[in-house]
Amino acid sequence: MNLIKNGTSILASKWRRFRFPIISIFIFYHTAALILWNCPPFPLYSNMVSLIRPYVCYFGFWNQWKMFSHPKIFNIHLTANVSMQDGTIINWNFPRMETLDVVSRTQKEPYRKWAHEYVNEETYKFVWPEACKFIARKIQTKENKPIKIELVRHWTWIQPPAGFGEALPEGEFHYAYYTYDVKPEDIL
């Protein structure tokens, strides 16, 4: 079998012939998948999304329609006060983009988004115990286990531009909004 014909390999000539349709199909699929994933739900949405979910989630394109939210009038960050067996209290911080380098921001942004849009919100209070269990597993040591976790919301108001509304209170505010007693099975 002759693999070289007219100075080029048969494999290279077949690739040249099929590369345009293959690349075009990939670009069409990728674009259609991202458009479908990011559009608001419609009647056939759940049936169609199940076809693209593995691709979108594997490559990390899993933002949804909620990524286009209304601007907030406050800056927020979350912390957790973790009471340990030995009586010490450890302050655990959820990711804060302003304290991270560029590479860490890219890696931790989904966790920041999860904390700000779910762990922070009253609507999703069913997530709070799971967030506390996660923190307990992250912070435990063999010698010292967490016994209680308190989620704390910190915020500062963003002042409106001059002439566009009343000034908001200055300074940082905080509020402990949830306390969880850690069970032994939470940190296995």
Side-chain angles (χ1 to χ4, degrees):
M1 179 177 206
N2 188 3
L3 294 177
I4 298 184
K5 184 177 178 184
N6 297 334
T8 60
S9 72
I10 294 172
L11 188 61
S13 66
K14 286 188 181 207
W15 169 244
R16 273 193 220 104
R17 190 170 68 181
F18 290 112
R19 72 179 170 195
F20 183 77
I22 290 171
I23 293 170
S24 297
I25 289 169
F26 169 75
I27 290 171
F28 174 77
Y29 176 78
H30 180 78
T31 304
L34 293 183
I35 289 170
L36 177 64
W37 189 263
N38 286 311
C39 74
F42 55 90
L44 294 176
Y45 182 79
S46 58
N47 294 339
M48 296 173 73
V49 162
S50 63
L51 299 172
I52 62 166
R53 179 174 283 118
Y55 172 75
V56 169
C57 292
Y58 180 78
F59 288 104
F61 303 126
W62 48 270
N63 280 321
Q64 290 186 331
W65 186 250
K66 287 182 153 192
M67 69 184 196
F68 302 109
S69 64
H70 295 290
K72 305 233 179 213
I73 61 168
F74 53 85
N75 288 321
I76 191 165
H77 70 276
L78 304 177
T79 62
N81 296 327
V82 183
S83 301
M84 305 298 281
Q85 278 178 333
D86 67 358
T88 59
I89 296 177
I90 298 173
N91 189 346
W92 190 86
N93 292 305
F94 284 84
R96 293 179 67 183
M97 296 302 103
E98 66 272 13
T99 63
L100 301 173
D101 60 85
V102 174
V103 174
S104 297
R105 283 181 193 175
T106 305
Q107 296 168 339
K108 306 252 182 194
E109 174 58 23
Y111 301 108
R112 190 236 21 110
K113 185 175 176 70
W114 171 74
H116 286 200
E117 294 184 12
Y118 295 98
V119 178
N120 178 48
E121 298 292 332
E122 295 283 330
T123 310
Y124 300 103
K125 59 174 62 173
F126 62 88
V127 173
W128 297 349
E130 298 306 318
C132 291
K133 291 174 190 177
F134 171 79
I135 294 166
R137 287 190 297 270
K138 289 294 247 181
I139 212 162
Q140 73 171 332
T141 63
K142 289 187 182 208
E143 305 81 36
N144 203 8
K145 307 280 187 213
I147 56 172
K148 184 171 79 170
I149 298 176
E150 183 180 62
L151 297 178
V152 182
R153 188 180 289 139
H154 303 263
W155 73 94
T156 57
W157 296 106
I158 299 172
Q159 297 298 327
F164 287 94
E166 295 181 26
L168 299 169
E170 294 283 340
E172 182 173 300
F173 302 89
H174 63 277
Y175 170 67
Y177 65 97
Y178 182 71
T179 302
Y180 181 79
D181 292 320
V182 180
K183 299 172 195 68
E185 61 267 16
D186 293 340
I187 53 177
L188 294 177

